Amino acid sequence: MEPLITLTTDFGGESPYVAAMKGVILSLSPHAQLIDLSHQIPPQDVRFAAFFLRASISYFPPETIHVVVVDPGVGTDRALLYVEVDGHRLLAPDNGCWTGLMRQVGQTLLSGKPTVLRLTERRFWRPTVSPTFHGRDILAPVAAHLSLGENPRHLGQPFDDWVRLEWKSPIIEPNRLVGEVIFIDHFGNLITNIPGEAFARMDDPHIQILVGDQAVTRRVHTYGEAEKGTLVALVSSFDLMEVAVSGGSAQKKLGVRVGSAVHVISPTDPGA
Amino acid sequence: MEPLITLTTDFGGESPYVAAMKGVILSLSPHAQLIDLSHQIPPQDVRFAAFFLRASISYFPPETIHVVVVDPGVGTDRALLYVEVDGHRLLAPDNGCWTGLMRQVGQTLLSGKPTVLRLTERRFWRPTVSPTFHGRDILAPVAAHLSLGENPRHLGQPFDDWVRLEWKSPIIEPNRLVGEVIFIDHFGNLITNIPGEAFARMDDPHIQILVGDQAVTRRVHTYGEAEKGTLVALVSSFDLMEVAVSGGSAQKKLGVRVGSAVHVISPTDPGA
Amino acid sequence: MEPLITLTTDFGGESPYVAAMKGVILSLSPHAQLIDLSHQIPPQDVRFAAFFLRASISYFPPETIHVVVVDPGVGTDRALLYVEVDGHRLLAPDNGCWTGLMRQVGQTLLSGKPTVLRLTERRFWRPTVSPTFHGRDILAPVAAHLSLGENPRHLGQPFDDWVRLEWKSPIIEPNRLVGEVIFIDHFGNLITNIPGEAFARMDDPHIQILVGDQAVTRRVHTYGEAEKGTLVALVSSFDLMEVAVSGGSAQKKLGVRVGSAVHVISPTDPGA
């Protein structure tokens, strides 16, 4: 079986940087099967990358090698990591981009303790390393060597002091959920950090849903249930509460962005 | 030989949805060879998808499995289909996106009667199916099973009541062609629904060509024949009449959109 | 080993043209391994394509077949070429897009004399050739035949009169470098035609760096050395002088474009 190597970068679709990385990998490991995950991560947006990886890596077969290059700190003393968690293998700069894998917002996604190495063994790198392109000169050749069966332990040293990306936890109370928009997809759907299960449990028909200060009055299971143009709230395919516009863009309609507050309030509080 | 699976979606290049689908397929069918056709179909634009598929699927080897996810009706009671026509195999929502394969505008592209099944056999799906992401939870695993040799007949039930996408037919008379713009490519070239052959036959040097109310005075065989910036009419690589600007964008120059009327008139009507 | 075929076009991510080319290749050579380099080359921008290829092709294993379709002259009498240089194989229109491979700006990249053939043998083409889509009808099938082991000499005739793309040479003097911006990447980094080595040698602390008439006062080895938002000059991963904004876009900050002048001046001229 060909070893799978996926690529996730913020280089953009017109970039020769992606092409150079593919060439480096295939020169060392010509049978590697390259899978583009995305090259459209917004420039240097580590948080976007973290959500992206959380939403995709766990679907891949465990032996896959995932190369991630969203790297605002390239060339500084930030480490480059080999990470293994529940069999998933990643190569990425130490900026926390992979740490979303270990917790779904509000629940555990992967349960294992990660094995993390700092890449230090230069014999697996390109002979000359540019201070601005470690994706091509370090991560790509290391991925190729892994795909050829190299033992990860040879790549570097155990490393425990890796960056943990902090995620704001939603407030989950019986009659009140408070969270925020954490991801906006291509359709303009607003994904929040409120667990879908918590939202589903609040089935009071008089529930109030606010994004910023704008009310969402319709709850659905899927977009097409409501008339086109209706603002709706639902449980997303990420198992998180989502706000959408049927056949349209909630982002455009509401003018919100990542970080906007989301409230779900049950006015029929039994204690009220 | 590795089974080929192509992917066509409106998820956008930055989307974790595409990545998740690739992971699901490769987890079940690690030897599958994934081919990205496009993830830039305009959101929920079934008609664009239909033209896209018509312009590309017939070039693939027949055993290829084409997964199409442009799905405004996801989660409603619209069916999900397995389609086989002249050996081409598609998995797509029942919204007509594949029905352009069977007729070129004005002529037959594929001649066979399609075999259409409604996907009903849940054992080929992911155990949990999100109401908003059937691409990941139904179409991707079904594609993987097909690539592993599963008999399509096991996937579901014969289904005849599938959506036919209506295409407006052009008017084709000896001295008059009336059609419309049906596709605008990345270069701003305007593809019409007027058959190239019908346009080629109207070789009167005094021919009048109108897009909306704007005249196109130059006929060419290829863009570079005319001086840069010239508005030209020609037979496209789709065998349809096309209006273009040499070295530029006809869309920008004329400000037209899909649906704009196109007239080709021969003033030397023998009956006039 | 599966033969590698890379694709570089200006067709755009939403284009059925790319999909059609992939289908044509895979129909003839089902084991071919397709690698997307980019489909986002700006429309008809041969110079961008030339820089792109120069920045990526040399990283690939030599037996790879690179298909390049940036072709403003499609259908005119411009030739289509098979090029082999230092083992790298390209199929491209004769517009100079590949000629950047043979010289890095200021230094040699590939040293070999290229072998260039004009594609003339129609038996390797699709039976019908559209005058506007030679990528699908000529280059794709020729690439497929090459991947199946066809001898390149059978494809056409030796051809010497190919287009050389002219590159403006920078002025390199002991106390003065004058060049221009030749490429702007996705992050807004400005890549110049000034060799990195020449820039590195000018280590005078009072050096003046100008992009257009705007001064760059900070020199670094990598972006993250400077505070976010700082305008910096450095040696790029292309071994060329680069102007960037740490954590931002130099293109946006300076409002420059490809062709803008770049000056590096040492005021402590020993002769002053």
Side-chain angles (χ1 to χ4, degrees), chain B residues 30 35 39-40 59 114 116 120 139 169 236:
Chain B
I35 308 285
H39 302 295
Q40 309 284 354
Y59 296 104
V116 183
T120 53
L139 298 182
S169 289
S236 79

Side-chain angles (χ1 to χ4, degrees), chain C residues 241-265:
Chain C
M241 178 191 159
E242 173 178 335
V243 172
V245 163
S246 184
S249 165
Q251 181 182 30
K252 277 192 194 153
K253 189 173 184 116
L254 299 180
V256 298
R257 56 175 71 189
V258 166
S260 293
V262 177
H263 287 82
V264 182
I265 299 160

Side-chain angles (χ1 to χ4, degrees), chain A residues 59-61, chain B residues 22-32 123-126 136 138 140-145 147-148:
Chain A
Y59 296 104
F60 277 85
Chain B
K22 291 181 177 180
V24 169
I25 293 172
L26 291 166
S27 288
L28 289 166
S29 181
H31 293 271
R123 66 196 150 114
F124 301 111
W125 304 1
R126 297 191 73 232
R136 178 190 66 193
I138 302 178
V142 167
H145 285 289
S147 78
L148 294 168

Side-chain angles (χ1 to χ4, degrees), chain A residues 181-198:
Chain A
V181 174
I182 56 169
F183 183 74
I184 301 179
D185 75 14
H186 188 67
F187 302 99
N189 299 323
L190 313 173
I191 318 298
T192 76
N193 63 345
I194 296 174
E197 189 205 22

